[in-house]
Amino acid sequence: AALSCRYVLCEVVSEDPRCRQCIEDRAVGLAVRDAVGRVHGDYGLACCSISFTVKYLNAYTGTVLLRCRKDSYRLLCSALPFVRQLESRNQRYPCSLNTLHVGGTIRTCQKFLIQYNRRQLLMLLQNCTNEEERRCVQKSLLSCSLTEEQSQSGDEEDDDGPE
Amino acid sequence: TYYVFTFLVGYSAVALNHVIDFKEKKQEIIKPVSPSELFPSLPIVQGTSKRIKVLTRLTLVVSDPSHCNLLRSTSANIRLYDIIAVFPKTEKLFHIACTTLDVDLVCINVTEKLPFYFRRPPVNMAIDRGIYFELLYTPAIKDSTMRRYTISNAISLMQICKGKNIVISSAAERPLELRGPYDVANLGLLFGLSESEAKAAVSTNCRATMLHGETRKSACGVVYTVKKPRKVEEEETTLPACKKAKTEA
């Protein structure tokens, strides 16, 4: 494809739970653009702005999927560590972005995200304090799979999670 | 807190740094804090079943040759640290650190203009000795003037050492100043490293520094012996060839 894009999957990390309110396309897009402008100047900002958009957001897990042109994904990725805060509706909260995966299509990022979330759920399972939580987490683990595919046999092994 | 650990989950070892600046009043090297006292339970490295290693590290800020005597003395407390780093403030001290001092890391100034230029002979000697140069990234994230100094100092080092023996670390004092390994490798690209060098600066070079520290801690060094049964056969086959050559001559 002549106009290839790169999809960058990252997660928003913050100490303040209220930061979740700021996880919306406009706020995240502005923060990323501002960081690119600060680090790479007008040239970098202009390059990254071609086809730049926030494709997917999940405020509960803090997952963000960004898209940019293949030629400028390095400029974008090298500026992501410089995002320091998210601002929305005159509220700003300090946070940082953690890059998880860079893929050529949305599907590869989706597959990675499923594996990543499964690992996070496993870690949550280890830290469960009561039986109720444990059952909820196990139920989520068993149901995570890519739609259109059959659920993988690996899920059954997860059931014997470490106590 | 949990949020710190989401990053630590991308790392398999962490070092706690204790800085000693000789410009202040007489400083003594105290015993390192034991990690087990600070962290009752450590998180597990993502993808394996081992826990994160916590190492102790000592950084000596030297601005005068007399400060180096502490390293040469056989002080018992110095030996207890896993990694020893030195931060030279003058060209002469940089030369001494690269060529003679028994350290694992030489810190490169990232918060102000370099007072001296790097020269090739001491840098190459440090690379031969297995000493690594350390760049910090947290000042660059916090302030734009620091960012300019970090990038220019890093690039001038890169031009001399050609990207070898670089370690990128954070000097984070708060959890939000940390960045994951993927992001730190991307920062290496900004400092003039190639992709493979940047990845090495976060992974293999750090491991090599840890091993260098271990060899420094144990007596004079470690010799690993590996059994090589084939060698005996090789010698036997070469002997007849020699004999053959003699007879032909």
Side-chain angles (χ1 to χ4, degrees):
Chain A
L3 295 178
S4 320
C5 292
R6 282 285 177 269
Y7 293 89
V8 181
L9 187 68
C10 32
E11 71 173 333
V12 177
V13 178
S14 172
E15 288 176 317
D16 192 337
R18 291 174 296 174
C19 187
R20 302 236 177 268
Q21 301 163 2
C22 292
I23 302 186
E24 40 172 43
D25 347 35
R26 201 160 166 270
V28 172
L30 273 175
V32 171
R33 268 187 242 250
D34 170 70
V36 176
R38 268 187 291 132
V39 178
H40 298 296
D42 295 326
Y43 170 76
L45 186 51
C47 282
C48 290
S49 293
I50 311 175
S51 271
F52 172 77
T53 176
V54 179
K55 262 315 208 184
Y56 166 81
L57 275 180
N58 185 328
Y60 297 108
T61 57
T63 310
V64 172
L65 183 66
L66 305 165
R67 178 190 73 184
C68 69
R69 277 288 156 85
K70 185 169 126 182
D71 297 328
S72 45
Y73 87 90
R74 271 174 221 265
L75 287 171
L76 180 63
C77 285
S78 54
L80 289 179
F82 294 91
V83 173
R84 282 191 306 237
Q85 61 180 27
L86 280 184
E87 185 175 343
S88 153
R89 296 179 223 115
N90 286 332
Q91 303 262 13
R92 53 177 82 139
Y93 298 102
C95 67
S96 59
L97 284 183
N98 183 23
T99 310
L100 298 175
H101 186 249
V102 177
T105 61
I106 297 190
R107 202 171 174 78
T108 54
C109 291
Q110 202 178 9
K111 283 193 200 161
F112 178 87
L113 189 58
I114 289 183
Q115 278 180 8
Y116 183 74
N117 285 342
R118 184 180 293 149
R119 264 183 268 149
Q120 299 288 82
L121 280 173
L122 271 176
M123 285 204 306
L124 275 178
L125 188 64
Q126 285 177 349
N127 299 340
C128 273
T129 45
N130 62 20
E131 196 50 44
E132 170 81 36
E133 283 176 7
R134 188 157 295 182
R135 265 186 285 125
C136 285
V137 176
Q138 279 176 342
K139 191 163 158 226
S140 318
L141 269 171
L142 287 172
S143 66
C144 55
S145 63
L146 195 58
T147 51
E148 303 155 30
E149 280 177 27
Q150 285 154 8
S151 55
Q152 288 140 1
S153 57
D155 292 322
E156 266 105 314
E157 287 163 11
D158 291 344
D159 210 359
D160 304 318
E163 291 299 308
Chain B
T1 63
Y2 183 75
Y3 293 109
V4 183
F5 289 156
T6 52
F7 283 140
L8 288 187
V9 160
Y11 295 103
S12 54
V14 170
L16 299 173
N17 193 8
H18 182 78
V19 181
I20 296 219
D21 191 341
F22 287 102
K23 272 204 296 222
E24 298 161 28
K25 288 182 295 182
K26 199 159 190 200
Q27 303 253 354
E28 285 191 347
I29 300 188
I30 56 172
K31 273 197 215 168
V33 185
S34 157
S36 45
E37 285 172 39
L38 287 175
F39 306 111
S41 79
L42 290 167
I44 297 187
V45 182
Q46 206 173 48
T48 69
S49 51
K50 288 187 286 191
R51 300 206 172 262
I52 289 189
K53 258 178 115 171
V54 180
L55 308 164
T56 48
R57 181 192 137 156
L58 180 69
T59 302
L60 297 167
V61 180
V62 291
S63 31
D64 188 74
S66 61
H67 300 161
C68 303
N69 295 338
L70 209 57
L71 272 170
R72 299 208 186 98
S73 74
T74 47
S75 148
N77 283 341
I78 261 204
R79 298 254 164 245
L80 296 171
Y81 286 90
D82 297 311
I83 300 180
I84 295 192
V86 73
F87 190 160
K89 290 282 196 187
T90 67
E91 171 151 28
K92 198 160 178 208
L93 283 165
F94 181 76
H95 191 277
I96 296 177
C98 292
T99 48
T100 52
L101 282 185
D102 191 16
V103 292
D104 308 310
L105 286 174
V106 172
C107 305
I108 303 293
N109 201 337
V110 293
T111 52
E112 48 188 21
K113 193 165 178 331
L114 277 177
F116 55 88
Y117 288 115
F118 295 117
R119 291 188 306 118
R120 216 158 268 217
V123 169
N124 284 341
M125 200 157 165
I127 295 179
D128 290 332
R129 288 177 69 207
I131 295 183
Y132 288 79
F133 297 102
E134 181 196 45
L135 290 168
L136 301 175
Y137 65 79
T138 305
I141 293 182
K142 288 202 279 205
D143 179 61
S144 107
T145 328
M146 302 286 179
R147 197 176 307 149
R148 276 179 238 143
Y149 287 136
T150 308
I151 296 184
S152 32
N153 295 356
I155 293 186
S156 63
L157 174 65
M158 234 37 84
Q159 286 167 347
I160 305 283
C161 76
K162 297 185 207 117
K164 289 195 275 189
N165 284 40
I166 304 278
V167 163
I168 306 182
S169 52
S170 83
E173 286 161 15
R174 262 168 277 149
L176 277 183
E177 292 166 8
L178 277 176
R179 292 293 180 266
Y182 209 145
D183 291 309
V184 179
N186 283 334
L187 281 174
L189 293 175
L190 273 182
F191 296 159
L193 293 167
S194 73
E195 270 215 41
S196 58
E197 286 165 0
K199 278 208 179 133
V202 191
S203 51
T204 41
N205 288 0
C206 303
R207 196 189 171 77
T209 311
M210 269 171 58
L211 290 175
H212 192 273
E214 272 188 42
T215 57
R216 187 184 37 74
K217 264 172 92 170
S218 53
C220 308
V222 180
V223 176
Y224 287 99
T225 54
V226 177
K227 256 190 180 174
K228 258 189 139 180
R230 279 197 211 144
K231 213 174 179 185
V232 181
E233 288 164 41
E234 279 172 4
E235 284 173 353
E236 284 175 26
T237 49
T238 48
L239 276 175
C242 294
K243 283 187 183 169
K244 234 187 177 180
K246 278 187 185 169
T247 50
E248 277 170 4

